[in-house]
Amino acid sequence: HMMMEGLQLTTDSCISHVTQLPKELPSFSEGLTRTMGYVTLKTVSTITTLPILSAVLLDTVQSESARAESATPMSCLKDAIYRFTGSGSSYQYRLLLPVHQLIIPTVVYTLTWDLVGHLVHSSVLKLCKMRQNSKQSDKDSRRQPNNNKLTESIWPELLAGTVHCFVADLSLLPLELIMNRLHLQGTRAIVDNVLDAQSVIPYQASYNNVQQCVEALVDSEGVPSFWKGCSALLLQYSTRFAVVHTVRILLKYINNFSDKPSLVPNDSATSLEK
């Protein structure tokens, strides 16, 4: 996941440098032209990294008995080339969906994730700003100095970044599941055995489009299957929020430490220097 995020960011930066298209989602006040430029950049970037995403997903879930060779960066690159060209001698490559059929669901997921994240990020920053202004007004009325400048400058952005990722990942979990199933269809993978919750079983499915994937999931696994992975996601973000909270405590400690008055008066310090 981190490798794909890094690859996506690198691709976005390269395309933005060449085309001068914005790599960050513009605000609505910046106009439709810049927004469409951002959509164009993300579409091109997603299509560029699409074969590699499919190869990484395959190596992540595929069973050892179905994999012809051990997973390495070179094997992922080779799988990406096979996926892009539609070639490959292995039987599994002939069962995979062509790349062009994966473009729309993957681009829709990427753009929707960015939009949800942008809206949540902006909302959290506004709430933090309103709270900071309220606290500052209260301190001004009591004539108290503001000793949390470092926390107020870093904490809102850190909190907004974590919250927007959590909300986007959680709300789009069903769409991500469908996208991943389309990337993985036609392969022999390992999935959780829902009967005993202690083992995995070989699984092979074949979908031709999003509608077939949704219908197959509902018929065979039920509607709750769209939220598979929710518990792992909650555990992941619980740890992440704990780290963010720890950072906030450290920032407050640094503020308090830096704002402590010197133990030696200025006059005494001057005499010592003489």
Side-chain angles (χ1 to χ4, degrees):
H1 183 68
M2 293 181 63
M3 184 187 76
M4 286 307 305
E5 285 187 356
L7 179 62
Q8 189 79 45
L9 290 174
T10 303
T11 306
D12 290 348
S13 299
C14 293
I15 296 175
S16 178
H17 179 74
V18 173
T19 62
Q20 301 303 314
L21 294 173
K23 61 181 180 179
E24 300 292 340
L25 182 61
S27 60
F28 297 107
S29 59
E30 295 185 50
L32 182 61
T33 303
R34 287 186 58 81
T35 302
M36 293 306 299
Y38 170 80
V39 171
T40 302
L41 181 142
K42 293 300 292 186
T43 301
V44 174
S45 175
T46 302
I47 294 174
T48 303
T49 58
L50 185 57
I52 300 178
L53 172 63
S54 293
V56 171
L57 286 173
L58 288 177
D59 280 331
T60 301
V61 304
Q62 201 168 36
S63 60
E64 291 293 336
S65 59
R67 186 184 293 129
E69 55 182 306
S70 58
T72 62
M74 289 304 298
S75 67
C76 287
L77 181 59
K78 184 181 71 174
D79 290 342
I81 295 173
Y82 285 158
R83 193 64 181 265
F84 180 75
T85 59
S87 62
S89 58
S90 176
Y91 176 67
Q92 71 173 31
Y93 292 110
R94 299 194 297 271
L95 296 176
L96 299 177
L97 282 178
V99 170
H100 65 83
Q101 293 188 27
L102 300 172
I103 291 176
I104 293 180
T106 307
V107 170
V108 168
Y109 171 78
T110 302
L111 293 177
T112 306
W113 195 99
D114 286 349
L115 178 61
V116 173
H118 178 75
L119 294 175
V120 175
H121 192 275
S122 302
S123 300
V124 173
L125 284 181
K126 288 180 180 179
L127 291 175
C128 290
K129 188 66 176 177
M130 291 171 58
R131 185 177 180 184
Q132 288 177 359
N133 291 337
S134 177
K135 286 186 176 181
Q136 186 61 40
S137 299
D138 186 57
K139 288 183 178 180
D140 291 342
S141 63
R142 299 180 182 181
R143 295 183 178 180
Q144 294 179 348
N146 184 8
N147 299 325
N148 295 319
K149 293 182 178 180
L150 181 61
T151 304
E152 292 178 356
S153 63
I154 299 177
W155 166 250
E157 191 66 39
L158 187 62
L159 178 64
T162 306
V163 172
H164 96 249
C165 289
F166 171 68
V167 173
D169 282 341
L170 184 62
S171 60
L172 297 178
L173 195 59
L175 184 57
E176 183 183 14
L177 175 68
I178 294 172
M179 181 192 69
N180 289 342
R181 287 294 181 92
L182 290 174
H183 279 270
L184 298 173
Q185 75 87 30
T187 63
R188 186 171 180 233
I190 53 174
V191 297
D192 293 332
N193 188 346
V194 296
L195 297 178
D196 59 17
Q198 295 179 350
S199 61
V200 294
I201 56 176
Y203 176 83
Q204 187 167 0
S206 180
Y207 317 113
N208 292 325
N209 50 50
V210 174
Q211 181 180 352
Q212 286 187 6
C213 181
V214 173
E215 292 175 352
L217 282 171
V218 173
D219 293 340
S220 62
E221 303 177 49
V223 176
S225 65
F226 288 99
W227 298 98
K228 280 185 175 180
C230 183
S231 56
L233 187 68
L234 293 176
L235 179 61
Q236 172 190 343
Y237 276 98
S238 297
T239 306
R240 189 167 173 177
F241 277 113
V243 172
V244 170
H245 183 67
T246 304
V247 171
R248 186 185 187 187
I249 295 175
L250 291 176
L251 289 175
K252 286 185 176 181
Y253 176 79
I254 294 173
N255 272 326
N256 295 333
F257 181 80
S258 61
D259 290 333
K260 284 184 178 180
S262 176
L263 297 178
V264 181
N266 292 334
D267 295 339
S268 301
T270 305
S271 61
L272 288 175
E273 289 178 359
K274 292 181 179 180

